[in-house]
Every structure is written in structure tokens, then in C-alpha cells.
Amino acid sequence: MFQVIQPAVHDSHGPAPATSWYAYIMRWIRTTNHKDIGTLYLLLALVMFFYGGTMAMIIRAELFQPGQRLVDPNFFNQLTTMHGLVMLFGVVMPAFTGLANWLIPMMIGAPDMALPRMNNWSFWILPFALMLLASTMWMKGGAPNFGWTFYAPLSTIYGPPSTDYMIFSIHLMGISSIMGSINIIATILNMRAPGMRLMQMPIFVWSWLITAFLLLAIMPVLAGVVTMVLTDRHFGTSFFSAAGGGDPLLFQHLFWFFGHPEVYVLILPAFGIISEIIPTFSRKRLFGYHCMVYAISAIAILSFVVWVHHMFTSGVPLYAELFFMYTTMLIAVPTGIKVFNWITTMFRGSLTFETPMLFAIAFVFLFTIGGFSGLMLSIAPADYQYQDTYFVVAHFHYVLVPGALFSLIASTYYWLPKWTGHMYHERLGQWHFWLTVISLNITFFPMHFLGLAGMPRRIPDYALQFTEFNMIASVGAWIFGISQLLFLYNIIRTIRGGKSASAQVWEGAHGLEWTLPSPAPYHSFVVPPKVQ
């Protein structure tokens, strides 16, 4: 019924040499091989990581001392807006999608993704969307300067002309995400190896199946709200204007109905990655596989009923505050189950501490700190103190940097030998880990104290009493940024050559192969011959 499209043939030393630069470039542009497309996603995310990270370092350089030092306040606000948008839509989401493309077909025994041509299209939309977003920095009036949440009326009435280009860029990225999600769902549900049931899939595959459904549910909401902003700006509608019968709070409700599940889009694949790495270096099966699947599902469902905790100070009714406060606290239960299962997997295991395991352990510990500060923010009366202060900045960076970013770094060290055939430099990887984890805490931990003392976020200036902690945070941020050059060097060094990796890079539980599903298999997934 369907024609099988054979992927490009590669030998053990990489792709066949191209006859010309044109042929080589077209081979990458036209590729439908899931490994090639996964590589393209990961390379794009790496480039955007250094682009967005450079903006963060400029922000922290400006905040090293009070007063205007390097950039004017309007450009500072442009940097904070672009940094948030680039890191979310240009780094974390493409990187996780790249891992999904590389790993899901191999983990479920599929020859490729279900829709390889759409897979190619969903990637190539992204570079143009991100270039359009980045180009707003050089447009008349500058880039959008109202924060990555682009609240109305800041975006509808006061936004610069480049806001329209940002909206178009978001539409393109949304189309890419929806296409990728459809592809992942179709692949997982229809192309598993014979005999592999859903409850035998690796946790990483489960995490992406649930994430893909989340993306399908929330990306149309984002598309709708940015379109409403566009029509308010140019077509005389008043969705978010009280003067025309609209309500600015409608924007917040719609945006955060997208925005909070989006947080879990950025973290659920990380749960899957960590659930693959910890058992390997503990030489044990993952503890509580079924509970992990149910916990991921519960987190995804609850993520749709907590969005108003971003709006406690906006005047919502008391009963709404209570409902969303309790549901926000409730989401800590399945998250706590996952942390317990990871710790129990390591308990009495035969642990070794290679670089992927170090980042995985740091993930568990630091992500838990971010979860605790999230519980503090979930308390509605206390949130009036924390709202729009650096406490919130510390919270979500403790969730997203050790959560999303550390899991991506860990996955790179973990699977890079399988991707390239070469081992990374372990000593360099460990130096990268210690510099990264120490500088991360130097950067973001003082922000808790700044926030509790009342320092507002998104402001380029501050009172003198906040100077010391800001100096510490800025020094930590620069060490963090520079240390990522070690990561880049290690990747390039590994790709170019080095010590050859064995067919089985890491000895997992009982010496099992790296693609083995997380639960114990009931059989070898081979359909037995019919008995005559």
C-alpha cells in the first residue's frame, strides 16, 4: 500500500564524498533521512544557543553595576525579549526535536520517521523563521522591547514595527512544531517493531509522545493570540483594548494557556533523557517504569489547569486563586514521584560518574531546587511579594537551565559517540561540567535574595543595595558563557576524529544495548514463526 523510501546509505566513515559543493549542499537540503534531519536540528540549536547566550552575557554585563553603562534601556529591553524568544523557540525546542528525529525511529525499530518529506519541510521552515526573528534587531525602531510574553497593550499599541515580523516568525515556528508533532505521533503509534507494546517503549519515546500531543493542543492557541495582536495593531479590532470593549487580561489568559503547557514541552523530553542516562550509569533497570509513564501523563494533563498562577496579582477572583494555587501544588506530586524514582534507581547501583551521569545528577538536584521555589510562587498571598522580581527569574532559570539545558548537554555526551563513532574527551567533559554547574549557581542563586529584597526584573538599573549580588551573578554568568566554549570544542574535536567508540559505548544494565527499552522486555520483539 505504501512505498518504502530508503534512507541515504552511509558507510562507517560518514557520508559518501560529494562530487561538488553544490551536490553536497543539496544533499543536506533535500535529505529525508531522520538522522540527517536530527543533525540539522541539533546544529541549528547549537548556533542559536551561542547567539542567545551572547545576549544574556550583554544583559549581565550591563547589570554588573547600577546606572547606564553599556547599552541604553530600550536596547536592554530588546535584548531581554530576544534572549527569551531565542532560547525557547530557537534552542530548546529544536534541540529536543533533533533528538526525537535521531533516536525515536531507532528506539522503536522503525526504518525512518513516518512522514520523511514533511520532516524535511518542518526543519527548513525553522532557519528562516529564526533569521526573520533575529533580523528585527536591525529594523527601524529596533527589535520588540516588551518581554518575551509580549503583553498587550505593550505589543498592540506601543510595540515597534518589528513586532509584525516577530508575529510572522512565531507563526512559522508554530507551523514547524505542529508538523513535527504530527510526524512523531504517527511514527510512534504506527511504526513500532512487531511485538513492541506501548508499555515497552523507552521513557524517552513516551516523553516525546506526550509532548507531541501537548504541542498539538497549545500551538494553535499561540497562533490565535498573536493573530489577535496583529489585527488589533492593523485592522481596527479591540480584542485587548478596553476602549473598544476588549480586555487586556484576555491576552494574559490566552497566552498563559499556551505558556504554561509550553514549560512542560521544554521539560518533559528532558525527563525522558534523564530516565535513559541514570539507569545506564547505575547498571540497574529504571525503578518504577509504569509510575514514570503515569507521572509524565499526569504532569501533561495538570499543565492545562494551572495557567492562572502567572496572574495572581492581576485581580482574579479569590476562588480562582485558590483553585489554581491547589492545582499548582498538586503538579508537584507526579514530579516528586519522578525524582524519587531516579534516586531509587541510583540507590545501591554500581554507579560510575562519566560526564553524562554528572549532568544527570546535577539535573535532579538543581531541578528540585527550581521546583521548591515554584512551590513558593504557587502560594497566592506570597506571590504578591515575589511577582515580577528576580525571585521569578531565579526560579525559571533553575528549572530551564539545569532542566532543559543540562539534559541536552548530557544527551550530547551520552549519544555523541554513537552518532560520530568517536569518543569525546572525558577530561574536557568533566571540566565543562564543573565550570558549568558552579557558575550556574553563582549566577542564579543570588537572584533569590535579590528578588526577596524587592529588586524588579527587566529593569537595566537598580538601587545601590543590590550591587554586590548583581556583581556576583554577572561574574558567574560570564564564566558560564565562556565555559560553553569547552563544550563546543569537545563536540568539534569528537566529530573530527579521536578515539574510536566501541559498538556498545556504555555498558548499561546487564550489558544491554543502548537502544533497549527502559522496562524489561517480555521477548525479543521478533515475531515467532507460525507453528505448522
Side-chain angles (χ1 to χ4, degrees):
M1 183 176 179
F2 297 101
Q3 180 184 0
V4 177
I5 300 173
Q6 294 293 337
V9 177
H10 299 269
D11 60 24
S12 59
H13 302 288
T19 56
S20 67
W21 278 107
Y22 175 78
Y24 183 75
I25 292 170
M26 293 310 294
R27 168 221 177 301
W28 283 99
I29 291 176
R30 294 172 178 169
T31 182
T32 55
N33 184 350
H34 71 98
K35 297 178 183 179
D36 290 345
I37 295 172
T39 301
L40 289 170
Y41 269 111
L42 291 168
L43 290 175
L44 175 66
L46 188 64
V47 171
M48 298 309 293
F49 171 59
F50 283 97
Y51 177 63
T54 301
M55 287 188 260
M57 293 171 72
I58 297 172
I59 290 168
R60 284 313 320 175
E62 173 61 37
L63 291 169
F64 184 75
Q65 285 184 321
Q68 183 178 332
R69 298 282 171 177
L70 299 176
V71 298
D72 67 84
N74 184 49
F75 185 65
F76 181 89
N77 290 336
Q78 295 174 33
L79 288 173
T80 57
T81 303
M82 293 294 291
H83 169 71
L85 290 170
V86 165
M87 293 309 245
L88 265 63
F89 296 115
V91 178
V92 179
M93 291 178 68
F96 280 142
T97 308
L99 289 174
N101 271 279
W102 247 104
L103 301 172
I104 287 176
M106 292 191 287
M107 285 183 167
I108 65 174
D112 205 308
M113 299 294 282
L115 305 161
R117 293 186 187 278
M118 191 169 82
N119 201 21
N120 174 283
W121 191 20
S122 69
F123 168 75
W124 282 111
I125 289 173
L126 263 184
F128 294 99
L130 291 168
M131 283 191 289
L132 182 62
L133 180 64
S135 69
T136 60
M137 297 286 286
W138 289 273
M139 291 180 184
K140 183 179 179 180
N145 57 0
F146 33 67
W148 80 274
T149 54
F150 47 96
Y151 277 1
L154 295 175
S155 56
T156 54
I157 297 175
Y158 304 107
S162 60
T163 304
D164 303 328
Y165 295 90
M166 180 201 77
I167 290 171
F168 184 49
S169 171
I170 289 173
H171 272 299
L172 291 175
M173 290 186 279
I175 292 169
S176 171
S177 294
I178 289 171
M179 292 167 65
S181 299
I182 292 170
N183 209 350
I184 288 167
I185 292 169
T187 303
I188 295 172
L189 296 185
N190 296 318
M191 298 183 67
R192 298 191 305 280
M196 177 183 272
R197 298 193 291 271
L198 286 174
M199 276 299 179
Q200 290 177 296
M201 297 191 308
I203 288 290
F204 178 77
V205 180
W206 260 114
S207 68
W208 245 114
L209 177 63
I210 294 167
T211 299
F213 277 110
L214 271 181
L215 278 168
L216 283 184
I218 64 174
M219 293 313 292
V221 179
L222 178 64
V225 72
V226 296
T227 303
M228 293 159 79
V229 169
L230 194 66
T231 58
D232 270 15
R233 285 173 60 85
H234 297 292
F235 297 100
T237 57
S238 299
F239 291 112
F240 309 127
S241 172
D247 187 354
L249 282 182
L250 174 63
F251 178 93
Q252 292 191 37
H253 280 287
L254 290 172
F255 178 84
W256 286 117
F257 189 78
F258 149 80
H260 200 81
E262 168 69 11
V263 173
Y264 292 98
V265 167
L266 302 175
I267 208 67
L268 290 184
F271 291 165
I273 291 167
I274 300 304
S275 298
E276 301 298 329
I277 292 175
I278 286 179
T280 297
F281 296 98
S282 301
R283 275 70 181 178
K284 285 175 63 182
R285 296 281 182 189
L286 179 68
F287 180 84
Y289 168 86
H290 290 80
C291 290
M292 294 289 263
V293 174
Y294 298 142
I296 294 174
S297 304
I299 289 169
I301 293 167
L302 287 171
S303 71
F304 285 101
V305 290
V306 296
W307 79 90
V308 174
H309 69 216
H310 296 273
M311 302 170 56
F312 280 153
T313 60
S314 64
V316 294
L318 178 61
Y319 63 83
E321 287 190 359
L322 290 172
F323 173 80
F324 287 100
M325 179 173 73
Y326 294 142
T327 52
T328 303
M329 292 178 177
L330 186 62
I331 212 167
V333 175
T335 308
I337 289 170
K338 298 180 71 60
V339 173
F340 173 81
N341 285 7
W342 290 324
I343 293 172
T344 309
T345 301
M346 289 186 282
F347 180 65
R348 301 189 71 177
S350 181
L351 271 66
T352 54
F353 298 100
E354 289 88 348
T355 306
M357 185 61 163
L358 290 175
F359 274 103
I361 293 171
F363 169 98
V364 175
F365 180 72
L366 297 173
F367 179 79
T368 303
I369 292 177
F372 284 146
S373 60
L375 276 175
M376 295 172 66
L377 286 161
S378 74
I379 303 169
D383 189 68
Y384 279 81
Q385 170 71 18
Y386 307 136
Q387 179 70 20
D388 269 336
T389 69
Y390 262 79
F391 190 88
V392 179
V393 179
H395 158 68
F396 68 72
H397 279 90
Y398 260 97
V399 170
L400 290 179
V401 179
L405 189 58
F406 274 25
S407 67
L408 288 169
I409 295 172
S411 67
T412 302
Y413 284 119
Y414 185 61
W415 280 303
L416 192 63
K418 268 292 183 183
W419 296 340
T420 64
H422 303 287
M423 278 299 295
Y424 65 88
H425 194 284
E426 181 64 37
R427 181 66 62 84
L428 274 178
Q430 301 227 357
W431 268 102
H432 174 226
F433 167 76
W434 287 111
L435 285 171
T436 299
V437 76
I438 292 170
S439 59
L440 171 111
N441 286 285
I442 292 173
T443 304
F444 297 114
F445 203 79
M447 293 183 188
H448 291 99
F449 307 125
L450 289 170
L452 290 173
M455 179 178 168
R457 61 175 173 160
R458 295 177 180 156
I459 304 295
D461 198 3
Y462 51 84
L464 289 174
Q465 65 263 32
F466 302 133
T467 303
E468 286 78 8
F469 277 143
N470 271 295
M471 284 182 169
I472 293 169
S474 293
V475 170
W478 273 80
I479 296 173
F480 183 91
I482 293 170
S483 64
Q484 302 319 303
L485 296 175
L486 282 177
F487 180 50
L488 179 64
Y489 173 73
N490 212 348
I491 292 173
I492 295 171
R493 184 181 185 277
T494 307
I495 293 171
R496 289 174 61 88
K499 181 182 176 182
S500 295
S502 61
Q504 183 179 321
V505 181
W506 311 111
E507 278 197 27
H510 314 299
L512 296 168
E513 274 290 348
W514 70 298
T515 52
L516 188 73
S518 304
Y522 298 107
H523 49 67
S524 62
F525 305 132
V526 176
V527 179
K530 292 182 178 179
V531 179
Q532 298 297 329

